[in-house]
C-alpha cells in the first residue's frame, strides 16, 4: 500500500477534489477527467469503472452527479486501496473491488449497470520503452486485449446502457472492430491538443442494443494558443469548463 509520505495530494476540478497519488507510479492527469465528463449518468443511476486506479474518473463523476451508485474494479491492490481512501476523503460513495476484468469477482458478475466507463492502457504489449515503475507499467501497458475491455464492459451493462472509453486516437479502428456486433449508436469525439492538430485521443461511447448510425463529432480542442508557451495557462473556454468546473461533455442523448 502507499503510505501518505509516498503520495502527493493533487487537486482536480480546480481544487474541488483532492486526490492522493503515488509519487512514483501511475499518476492521473486530464484523461480521467475527460472520461468522467463524457459519461451521461443521471442521479439514481449506477456506474462501473473498469481499471479505476486511484479513482479520479469516478470521483469527478460522483462530484458532478449526486446520488449515483458507483463501483470500481482495479487489478492492483495498492491502487484499489488508494481509490477507497480518496473516495472517503472526498465524500464520494465508491465501492472498489480488486480483480482482473477478464475474471471479475463474483459480486460484480452478478450486477448490471446503467453506465460502464474505462481508460484502458494506451500502449501495446510489445514495443516501446517500459516504465521504470512496475505499477505505472502495468497501468499503461496492454496485457488484456482492448477487445476484452469492450466485451467485459458490455456484459456488465443493462440493456440500453452506455459504455464510454477514452483511448489513443490510433486505436480507434481497434475500438470500432471490438464494438461491432456488441454496441451501436456509437459516438466518437476526437480530442485535439490545439486547433488544426491531429487528435491524440478519442472518447467513444456506445449503447448496448443501440441501432442508430455512428456519429463523428467535431474535435474538442484543449488549448487556445497555436503553440505551447512556457507555463502559461491556455485552456480553451470549453476545456476550462470541463477540466476546471466539472461540466459535462455531451456525447450521448
Amino acid at each position: 500500500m502507499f503510505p501518505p509520505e509516498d503520495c502527493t495530494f493533487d487537486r482536480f476540478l480546480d481544487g474541488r477534489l483532492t486526490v492522493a497519488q503515488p509519487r512514483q507510479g501511475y499518476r492521473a492527469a486530464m484523461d480521467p477527467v475527460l472520461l468522467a465528463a463524457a459519461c451521461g449518468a443521471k442521479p439514481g443511476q449506477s456506474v462501473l469503472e473498469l481499471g479505476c486506479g486511484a479513482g479520479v474518473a469516478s470521483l469527478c463523476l460522483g462530484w458532478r452527479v449526486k446520488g449515483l451508485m458507483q463501483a470500481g474494479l482495479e487489478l492492483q491492490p495498492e491502487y484499489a486501496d488508494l481509490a477507497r481512501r480518496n473516495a472517503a476523503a472526498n465524500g464520494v460513495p465508491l465501492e472498489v473491488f480488486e480483480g482482473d476484468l477478464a475474471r471479475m469477482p463474483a459480486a460484480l458478475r452478478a450486477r448490471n449497470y446503467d453506465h460502464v466507463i474505462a481508460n484502458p492502457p494506451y500502449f501495446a504489449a510489445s514495443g516501446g520503452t517500459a516504465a521504470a515503475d512496475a505499477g505505472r507499467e502495468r497501468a499503461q501497458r496492454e496485457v488484456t486485449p482492448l477487445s476484452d475491455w469492450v466485451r467485459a464492459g458490455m456484459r456488465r451493462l443493462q440493456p440500453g446502457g452506455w459504455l464510454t472509453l477514452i483511448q489513443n486516437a490510433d486505436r480507434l479502428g481497434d475500438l470500432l472492430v471490438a464494438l461491432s456486433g456488441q454496441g451501436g449508436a456509437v459516438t466518437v469525439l476526437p480530442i485535439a491538443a490545439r486547433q488544426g492538430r491531429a487528435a491524440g485521443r478519442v472518447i467513444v461511447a456506445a449503447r448496448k442494443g443501440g441501432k442508430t448510425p455512428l456519429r463523428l463529432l467535431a474535435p474538442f480542442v484543449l488549448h487556445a494558443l497555436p503553440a505551447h508557451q512556457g507555463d502559461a495557462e491556455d485552456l480553451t473556454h470549453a476545456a476550462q469548463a470541463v477540466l476546471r468546473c466539472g461540466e459535462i461533455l455531451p456525447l450521448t442523448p
Side-chain angles (χ1 to χ4, degrees):
M1 305 307 168
F2 296 108
E5 60 270 21
D6 290 343
C7 294
T8 61
F9 293 84
D10 303 307
R11 291 156 55 91
F12 288 85
L13 301 184
D14 208 24
R16 294 170 174 87
L17 296 169
T18 300
V19 178
Q21 300 196 93
R23 294 181 188 275
Q24 304 295 326
Y26 173 73
R27 295 174 56 81
M30 66 173 61
D31 288 357
V33 185
L34 293 168
L35 175 64
C39 178
K42 304 295 184 185
Q45 290 189 324
S46 56
V47 184
L48 170 64
E49 182 181 2
L50 300 178
C52 68
V56 173
S58 290
L59 295 181
C60 289
L61 180 57
W63 178 87
R64 190 187 89 231
V65 186
K66 309 304 181 187
L68 292 177
M69 293 166 283
Q70 290 198 101
L73 176 65
E74 175 52 41
L75 178 63
Q76 302 187 70
E78 60 271 29
Y79 286 88
D81 176 68
L82 264 188
R84 295 187 191 101
R85 287 157 46 189
N86 285 327
N90 287 280
V92 176
L94 177 64
E95 185 178 11
V96 181
F97 296 86
E98 294 176 22
D100 189 332
L101 66 87
R103 295 178 295 278
M104 282 192 190
L108 271 185
R109 294 199 307 272
R111 301 183 189 180
N112 289 320
Y113 293 84
D114 297 299
H115 294 267
V116 174
I117 62 174
N119 181 6
Y122 290 154
F123 303 120
S126 59
T129 302
D133 178 85
R136 182 180 178 88
E137 173 69 8
R138 198 167 193 177
Q140 294 186 324
R141 182 79 56 185
E142 181 177 286
V143 175
T144 302
L146 189 56
S147 58
D148 286 358
W149 285 77
V150 171
R151 187 177 302 110
M154 282 293 174
R155 283 177 175 169
R156 298 278 63 78
L157 281 174
Q158 305 266 18
W162 287 92
L163 174 65
T164 306
L165 307 102
I166 187 167
Q167 184 55 255
N168 268 350
D170 63 6
R171 303 297 304 277
L172 176 58
D174 297 330
L175 272 177
L176 294 178
V177 169
L179 286 167
S180 179
Q182 296 200 68
V186 176
T187 300
V188 180
L189 176 65
I191 306 292
R194 301 183 190 277
Q195 193 69 42
R197 300 278 186 89
R201 300 278 193 267
V202 289
I203 299 177
V204 177
R207 192 170 199 179
K208 187 171 184 176
K211 302 297 183 184
T212 56
L214 182 146
R215 295 190 308 150
L216 177 61
L217 303 180
F220 184 79
V221 180
L222 296 172
H223 299 285
L225 299 176
H228 178 67
Q229 295 185 9
D231 295 328
E233 174 69 88
D234 71 334
L235 291 176
T236 62
H237 291 305
Q240 287 184 45
V242 169
L243 298 172
R244 300 284 184 253
C245 302
E247 292 191 10
I248 191 170
L249 270 173
L251 265 73
T252 58

